[in-house]
Coordinates of all heavy atoms in Angstrom, one line a residue:
D1334 N 132.8 18.2 -31.7 CA 131.9 17.7 -32.7 C 131.9 18.8 -33.8 O 131.1 19.7 -33.6 CB 130.6 17.3 -32.2 CG 129.6 16.7 -33.2 OD1 129.9 16.8 -34.4 OD2 128.6 16.1 -32.8
N1335 N 132.7 18.6 -34.8 CA 132.7 19.7 -35.8 C 131.4 19.8 -36.6 O 131.1 20.9 -37.1 CB 133.9 19.4 -36.8 CG 135.3 19.7 -36.1 OD1 135.3 20.3 -35.1 ND2 136.3 19.3 -36.7
A1336 N 130.7 18.8 -36.7 CA 129.4 18.9 -37.4 C 128.4 19.7 -36.7 O 127.5 20.3 -37.3 CB 128.8 17.5 -37.6
K1337 N 128.6 19.9 -35.3 CA 127.7 20.7 -34.5 C 128.4 22.0 -34.1 O 127.8 22.8 -33.3 CB 127.3 19.9 -33.3 CG 126.4 18.8 -33.6 CD 125.9 18.1 -32.3 CE 125.0 17.0 -32.6 NZ 124.5 16.3 -31.3
N1338 N 129.6 22.2 -34.6 CA 130.4 23.4 -34.2 C 130.5 23.6 -32.7 O 130.3 24.7 -32.1 CB 129.8 24.7 -34.8 CG 129.9 24.8 -36.3 OD1 130.7 24.0 -36.9 ND2 129.3 25.7 -36.9
T1339 N 130.8 22.5 -32.0 CA 130.7 22.5 -30.6 C 131.9 21.8 -30.0 O 132.3 20.7 -30.5 CB 129.4 21.8 -30.1 OG1 128.3 22.5 -30.6 CG2 129.4 21.9 -28.5
V1340 N 132.5 22.3 -28.9 CA 133.5 21.7 -28.1 C 133.0 21.4 -26.7 O 132.2 22.2 -26.2 CB 134.8 22.5 -28.1 CG1 134.6 23.8 -27.4 CG2 135.9 21.7 -27.5
Y1341 N 133.4 20.3 -26.1 CA 132.9 19.9 -24.8 C 134.1 19.8 -23.8 O 135.2 19.5 -24.2 CB 132.2 18.6 -24.9 CG 131.1 18.5 -25.9 CD1 131.3 18.1 -27.2 CD2 129.8 19.0 -25.6 CE1 130.3 18.0 -28.2 CE2 128.8 19.0 -26.5 CZ 129.0 18.5 -27.8 OH 128.0 18.5 -28.7
L1342 N 133.7 19.9 -22.6 CA 134.6 19.6 -21.5 C 133.9 18.7 -20.5 O 133.0 19.2 -19.8 CB 135.2 20.8 -20.8 CG 136.3 20.6 -19.8 CD1 137.5 20.0 -20.4 CD2 136.6 21.8 -19.0
Q1343 N 134.2 17.4 -20.5 CA 133.6 16.5 -19.5 C 134.5 16.6 -18.2 O 135.7 16.3 -18.3 CB 133.5 15.1 -20.0 CG 133.0 14.1 -19.1 CD 131.5 14.3 -18.7 OE1 130.7 14.5 -19.6 NE2 131.2 14.3 -17.5
M1344 N 133.9 16.9 -17.1 CA 134.6 17.1 -15.9 C 134.1 16.1 -14.9 O 132.9 16.1 -14.5 CB 134.4 18.5 -15.3 CG 134.8 19.6 -16.3 SD 134.7 21.2 -15.6 CE 133.0 21.4 -15.3
N1345 N 135.0 15.1 -14.5 CA 134.6 14.1 -13.5 C 135.5 14.3 -12.3 O 136.5 15.0 -12.3 CB 134.9 12.7 -14.1 CG 134.0 12.4 -15.3 OD1 132.8 12.9 -15.4 ND2 134.5 11.7 -16.3
S1346 N 135.1 13.6 -11.2 CA 135.8 13.6 -10.0 C 136.1 15.1 -9.6 O 137.3 15.4 -9.2 CB 137.1 12.8 -10.1 OG 136.8 11.5 -10.4
L1347 N 135.1 15.9 -9.6 CA 135.3 17.3 -9.3 C 135.8 17.6 -7.9 O 135.4 16.9 -7.0 CB 134.0 18.1 -9.6 CG 133.7 18.3 -11.1 CD1 132.3 18.7 -11.2 CD2 134.6 19.4 -11.7
K1348 N 136.6 18.6 -7.8 CA 137.2 19.0 -6.5 C 136.8 20.5 -6.3 O 136.5 21.2 -7.2 CB 138.7 18.9 -6.5 CG 139.2 17.5 -6.8 CD 140.8 17.6 -6.9 CE 141.3 16.2 -7.3 NZ 142.8 16.3 -7.4
P1349 N 136.7 20.9 -5.0 CA 136.4 22.3 -4.7 C 137.4 23.2 -5.4 O 137.0 24.4 -5.8 CB 136.6 22.4 -3.2 CG 136.2 21.0 -2.7 CD 136.8 20.1 -3.8
E1350 N 138.6 22.8 -5.6 CA 139.6 23.6 -6.3 C 139.3 23.9 -7.8 O 139.9 24.7 -8.4 CB 141.0 22.9 -6.2 CG 141.5 22.7 -4.8 CD 141.0 21.3 -4.3 OE1 141.6 20.3 -4.6 OE2 140.0 21.3 -3.5
D1351 N 138.3 23.1 -8.3 CA 137.9 23.3 -9.7 C 136.9 24.5 -9.8 O 136.6 24.8 -11.0 CB 137.3 22.1 -10.3 CG 138.2 20.9 -10.3 OD1 139.4 21.1 -10.7 OD2 137.8 19.8 -10.0
T1352 N 136.5 25.0 -8.7 CA 135.6 26.1 -8.8 C 136.2 27.3 -9.5 O 137.3 27.8 -9.1 CB 135.2 26.6 -7.3 OG1 134.4 25.5 -6.7 CG2 134.3 27.8 -7.3
A1353 N 135.5 27.8 -10.5 CA 136.0 28.9 -11.3 C 135.0 29.2 -12.4 O 134.0 28.5 -12.6 CB 137.3 28.5 -12.0
V1354 N 135.2 30.3 -13.1 CA 134.5 30.6 -14.3 C 135.3 30.0 -15.5 O 136.5 30.2 -15.6 CB 134.4 32.1 -14.6 CG1 133.7 32.4 -15.9 CG2 133.6 32.8 -13.5
Y1355 N 134.7 29.2 -16.3 CA 135.3 28.4 -17.3 C 135.0 29.1 -18.7 O 133.9 29.4 -19.0 CB 134.8 27.0 -17.4 CG 135.4 26.1 -16.3 CD1 135.1 26.3 -15.0 CD2 136.4 25.2 -16.6 CE1 135.7 25.5 -14.0 CE2 137.0 24.4 -15.6 CZ 136.7 24.6 -14.3 OH 137.2 23.8 -13.3
Y1356 N 136.1 29.3 -19.4 CA 136.0 30.0 -20.7 C 136.4 29.1 -21.8 O 137.4 28.4 -21.8 CB 137.0 31.2 -20.7 CG 136.6 32.3 -19.7 CD1 137.1 32.3 -18.4 CD2 135.7 33.3 -20.0 CE1 136.8 33.3 -17.5 CE2 135.4 34.3 -19.1 CZ 136.0 34.3 -17.8 OH 135.6 35.2 -16.9
C1357 N 135.7 29.2 -22.9 CA 136.0 28.5 -24.1 C 136.7 29.5 -25.0 O 136.4 30.7 -25.1 CB 134.7 28.1 -24.8 SG 134.9 27.4 -26.5
A1358 N 137.8 29.0 -25.8 CA 138.6 29.9 -26.6 C 138.8 29.2 -27.9 O 139.0 28.0 -28.0 CB 139.9 30.3 -25.9
A1359 N 139.0 30.0 -29.0 CA 139.2 29.5 -30.3 C 140.5 30.1 -30.9 O 140.8 31.3 -30.7 CB 138.1 29.7 -31.3
R1360 N 141.3 29.3 -31.5 CA 142.6 29.7 -32.1 C 142.5 29.5 -33.6 O 142.1 28.4 -34.1 CB 143.8 28.9 -31.6 CG 145.1 29.4 -32.0 CD 146.2 28.5 -31.5 NE 147.5 29.1 -31.8 CZ 148.6 28.4 -32.0 NH1 148.6 27.0 -31.9 NH2 149.8 29.0 -32.2
S1361 N 142.7 30.5 -34.4 CA 142.6 30.4 -35.9 C 143.5 29.4 -36.5 O 143.2 28.8 -37.5 CB 142.8 31.8 -36.5 OG 144.0 32.3 -36.2
L1362 N 144.7 29.2 -35.9 CA 145.5 28.1 -36.3 C 145.0 26.8 -35.7 O 144.5 26.7 -34.7 CB 147.0 28.3 -35.8 CG 147.9 29.1 -36.8 CD1 147.3 30.5 -37.0 CD2 149.3 29.2 -36.2
G1363 N 145.2 25.7 -36.5 CA 144.6 24.5 -36.1 C 145.4 23.7 -35.0 O 144.8 22.8 -34.4
T1364 N 146.6 24.1 -34.7 CA 147.4 23.4 -33.7 C 147.0 24.0 -32.3 O 146.8 25.2 -32.1 CB 148.9 23.6 -33.9 OG1 149.2 25.0 -34.1 CG2 149.3 22.9 -35.2
S1365 N 147.0 23.1 -31.4 CA 146.6 23.5 -30.0 C 147.7 24.2 -29.3 O 148.9 24.1 -29.6 CB 146.1 22.2 -29.2 OG 147.2 21.3 -29.2
S1366 N 147.3 25.0 -28.3 CA 148.2 25.7 -27.5 C 147.7 25.9 -26.1 O 146.5 25.9 -25.8 CB 148.4 27.1 -28.1 OG 149.2 27.9 -27.2
L1367 N 148.6 25.9 -25.1 CA 148.3 26.2 -23.7 C 148.4 27.6 -23.3 O 148.0 28.0 -22.2 CB 149.2 25.3 -22.8 CG 150.6 25.8 -22.5 CD1 151.2 25.1 -21.3 CD2 151.5 25.5 -23.7
Y1368 N 148.8 28.5 -24.2 CA 148.9 29.9 -23.9 C 147.7 30.7 -24.3 O 147.3 30.7 -25.5 CB 150.2 30.5 -24.7 CG 151.5 29.8 -24.3 CD1 152.1 28.9 -25.2 CD2 152.0 30.0 -23.0 CE1 153.3 28.3 -24.8 CE2 153.2 29.4 -22.7 CZ 153.8 28.6 -23.5 OH 155.0 28.0 -23.2
L1369 N 147.2 31.4 -23.4 CA 145.9 32.1 -23.6 C 146.1 33.2 -24.7 O 145.2 33.5 -25.4 CB 145.4 32.7 -22.3 CG 146.1 33.7 -21.5 CD1 145.9 35.1 -22.0 CD2 145.8 33.6 -20.0
D1370 N 147.3 33.8 -24.8 CA 147.6 34.8 -25.8 C 147.5 34.3 -27.2 O 147.5 35.1 -28.2 CB 148.9 35.5 -25.5 CG 148.9 36.4 -24.3 OD1 147.9 36.7 -23.9 OD2 150.0 36.7 -23.9
D1371 N 147.6 33.0 -27.4 CA 147.5 32.4 -28.7 C 146.1 32.2 -29.2 O 145.9 31.9 -30.4 CB 148.2 31.0 -28.7 CG 149.7 31.0 -28.7 OD1 150.3 32.1 -29.0 OD2 150.3 30.0 -28.3
Y1372 N 145.1 32.5 -28.4 CA 143.7 32.3 -28.8 C 143.1 33.7 -29.2 O 143.4 34.7 -28.6 CB 142.9 31.7 -27.6 CG 143.3 30.3 -27.4 CD1 144.4 29.9 -26.7 CD2 142.6 29.2 -28.1 CE1 144.8 28.6 -26.5 CE2 142.9 27.9 -27.9 CZ 144.0 27.6 -27.1 OH 144.4 26.3 -27.0
D1373 N 142.3 33.6 -30.3 CA 141.8 34.8 -31.0 C 140.4 35.1 -30.5 O 140.0 36.3 -30.6 CB 141.8 34.5 -32.5 CG 143.2 34.2 -33.0 OD1 144.1 35.0 -32.8 OD2 143.4 33.1 -33.5
Y1374 N 139.6 34.2 -30.1 CA 138.2 34.4 -29.7 C 137.9 33.8 -28.4 O 138.4 32.7 -28.1 CB 137.3 33.9 -30.8 CG 137.6 34.4 -32.2 CD1 138.3 33.6 -33.1 CD2 137.2 35.7 -32.6 CE1 138.6 34.1 -34.4 CE2 137.5 36.2 -33.9 CZ 138.3 35.4 -34.7 OH 138.6 35.9 -36.0

């Protein structure tokens, strides 16, 4: 929701394997990436 400067992750059907610390990241380029090194913040 860009009006709220917020990104969400809805997680359904959770499994024990989903247990982790979850991190939000921002990339200055607008195209998405799966590589953590591509994220700036």
Side-chain angles (χ1 to χ4, degrees):
D1334 185 343
N1335 287 345
K1337 295 183 176 181
N1338 290 352
T1339 302
V1340 64
Y1341 305 95
L1342 185 68
Q1343 178 67 47
M1344 304 185 294
N1345 298 326
S1346 301
L1347 284 164
K1348 304 175 180 179
E1350 303 87 81
D1351 296 319
T1352 296
V1354 176
Y1355 283 71
Y1356 296 91
C1357 174
R1360 189 186 186 206
S1361 58
L1362 271 61
T1364 52
S1365 58
S1366 173
L1367 77 164
Y1368 298 109
L1369 62 88
D1370 287 344
D1371 285 343
Y1372 289 84
D1373 303 298
Y1374 306 101

